[in-house]
Amino acid sequence: MSHPTSLLAAIPHDAPHIPVLLDEVIGALDPAPGKVIVDATLGAGGYTRALLAAGATVHAFDRDPDAIAAAREWGAGYDRLILHPRRFSEVGDALAQAGVSAIDGLVADIGVSSMQLDQQGRGFAFSSDGPLDMRMSQEGPSAADFCNEAAEEEIANVLYNYAEERQSRRIARAIVAARPLETTGQLANVVRRALGYKPGAPKDPATRSFQAIRIHVNDELGELEALLATAESLLSPGGRLAIVSFHSLEDRIVKQFFKDASGVASATSRYMPVAASAAPAVYSHISKAIRAGEVELNRNPRARSATLRFATRTDVPARPAGSRRRP
Ligand SMILES: C[S@@+](CC[C@H](N)C(=O)[O-])C[C@H]1O[C@@H](n2cnc3c(N)ncnc32)[C@H](O)[C@@H]1O
């Protein structure tokens, strides 16, 4: 896992997005010439560039057309870079179309990129006013469509399920009463008023609602579950799966997935011997949760909520889709 020099240290300070846990991710994937690795979340290409530099062939996915357009420019010199402007839940179909049936590694860094957050027009952040959008793919129903059209109960459920917002019903009622909402500023103010926010308080309560609505608009948890399921059948024995998540719900899904896949008997009878209840392990060498250290956090505060988990695919056949427990 250790690298003689830090890959992060080589990232320019004016990079549009500083990749999180870069050294740890690349160490986990162990790229080399001849290896085929999927970067499911290309973004500004922090991981992809390091994988290419190590000699690997990279199939890079992003549902955001801006990320793909940028990579067509900076990656133009690489014939080992294959770009897929698609959702990563479609990785199986996309690779089959490209004639690839097995891969040596897959990484997903499933947050929002700094380019997305920092562009007012994308509507991900409420620190600056912009259209209420939040769509990574720039198509389909937007956050405004959801806030203006969904039933009050559905809005409350999204806020509660994806952000554990205890005041979900009160906020949903306020959103419905304030329709139509068109900008991030309007939504933030509706949430703040509903929660009696005092300007200057340490944490803006709109943070949780924005996160929940973004997760819903982009079906982020459904995408993650589909990716984990497909990766299992694509990875060759010895192949590595590395997932960086930014949210406790996502990390819970990844942690539970690896636990189930490791063959450790889960929630069976305490009277049943483990050997009798355990399934063969489809992943081994499952890492603990890895978080950014102080040096990285000083450089990139956005890494604070990132968690990396990785594991090695065994030679046990992939479990049939229906047999896996839903996280
Ligand atoms: C945190 S950024 C990745 C940054 C990248 N690791 C880097 O170093 O530049 C996440 C990226 O994944 C993309 N993304 C998120 N969910 C996706 C999905 N389900 N399918 C495809 N791309 C997705 C986003 O559009 C965004 O560009």
Side-chain angles (χ1 to χ4, degrees), residues 175-288:
I175 288 175
V176 169
R179 286 172 175 174
L181 293 172
E182 278 156 19
T183 68
T184 53
Q186 286 173 336
L187 175 62
N189 284 332
V190 167
V191 176
R192 288 172 188 145
R193 268 200 305 274
L195 299 183
Y197 171 64
K198 304 219 178 1
K203 191 159 185 213
D204 193 319
T207 312
R208 287 192 301 277
S209 295
F210 268 67
Q211 171 192 287
I213 293 171
R214 191 202 84 210
I215 289 175
H216 173 74
V217 164
N218 295 289
D219 185 22
E220 293 180 33
L221 303 187
E223 283 287 307
L224 172 59
E225 287 173 8
L227 180 71
L228 293 172
T230 312
E232 190 167 313
S233 49
L234 288 171
L235 283 164
S236 303
R240 309 288 171 82
L241 176 62
I243 308 285
V244 178
S245 63
F246 288 82
H247 186 278
S248 58
L249 285 177
E250 294 160 350
D251 185 50
R252 215 176 295 157
I253 289 173
V254 177
K255 185 177 172 188
Q256 187 62 50
F257 174 82
F258 278 142
K259 190 172 170 205
D260 289 347
S262 70
V264 174
S266 55
T268 50
S269 160
R270 65 193 165 107
Y271 302 109
M272 189 188 286
V274 168
S277 57
V282 279
Y283 284 97
S284 67
H285 300 87
I286 293 167
S287 77
K288 297 233 174 305

Side-chain angles (χ1 to χ4, degrees), residues 24-247:
E24 293 80 357
V25 163
I26 301 304
L29 292 171
D30 193 23
K35 286 196 179 181
V36 177
I37 298 184
V38 167
D39 182 349
T41 51
L42 169 70
Y47 300 164
T48 286
R49 292 174 213 239
L51 296 169
L52 289 168
T57 293
V58 182
H59 284 264
F61 288 70
D62 206 298
R63 66 185 353 188
D64 188 338
D66 290 355
I68 297 288
R72 288 203 201 288
E73 291 195 7
W74 63 253
Y78 285 105
D79 55 4
R80 287 181 283 112
L81 172 62
I82 301 98
L83 297 170
H84 299 269
R86 301 175 74 149
R87 288 182 286 138
F88 58 56
S89 56
E90 300 171 343
V91 60
D93 289 344
L95 292 186
Q97 282 162 18
V100 177
S101 56
I103 57 174
D104 302 294
L106 186 149
V107 59
D109 170 18
I110 46 183
V112 183
S113 72
S114 296
M115 294 82 73
Q116 291 167 332
L117 271 176
D118 296 342
Q119 266 178 45
Q120 215 171 321
R122 301 297 302 271
F124 283 101
F126 56 85
S127 44
S128 55
D129 202 12
L132 189 51
D133 192 315
M134 303 194 201
R135 296 168 301 174
M136 292 181 185
S137 60
Q138 304 184 24
E139 61 180 26
S142 66
D145 293 332
F146 173 68
C147 289
N148 292 327
E149 289 164 23
E152 186 176 315
E153 190 183 351
E154 188 187 352
I155 297 175
N157 287 342
V158 163
L159 299 176
Y160 186 77
N161 291 335
Y162 297 156
E164 290 165 1
E165 174 58 70
R166 278 177 296 168
Q167 302 291 339
S168 56
R169 288 187 191 287
R170 180 193 291 248
I171 298 171
R173 206 175 314 130
I175 288 175
V176 169
R179 286 172 175 174
L181 293 172
E182 278 156 19
T183 68
T184 53
Q186 286 173 336
L187 175 62
N189 284 332
V190 167
V191 176
R192 288 172 188 145
R193 268 200 305 274
L195 299 183
Y197 171 64
K198 304 219 178 1
K203 191 159 185 213
D204 193 319
T207 312
R208 287 192 301 277
S209 295
F210 268 67
Q211 171 192 287
I213 293 171
R214 191 202 84 210
I215 289 175
H216 173 74
V217 164
N218 295 289
D219 185 22
E220 293 180 33
L221 303 187
E223 283 287 307
L224 172 59
E225 287 173 8
L227 180 71
L228 293 172
T230 312
E232 190 167 313
S233 49
L234 288 171
L235 283 164
S236 303
R240 309 288 171 82
L241 176 62
I243 308 285
V244 178
S245 63
F246 288 82
H247 186 278

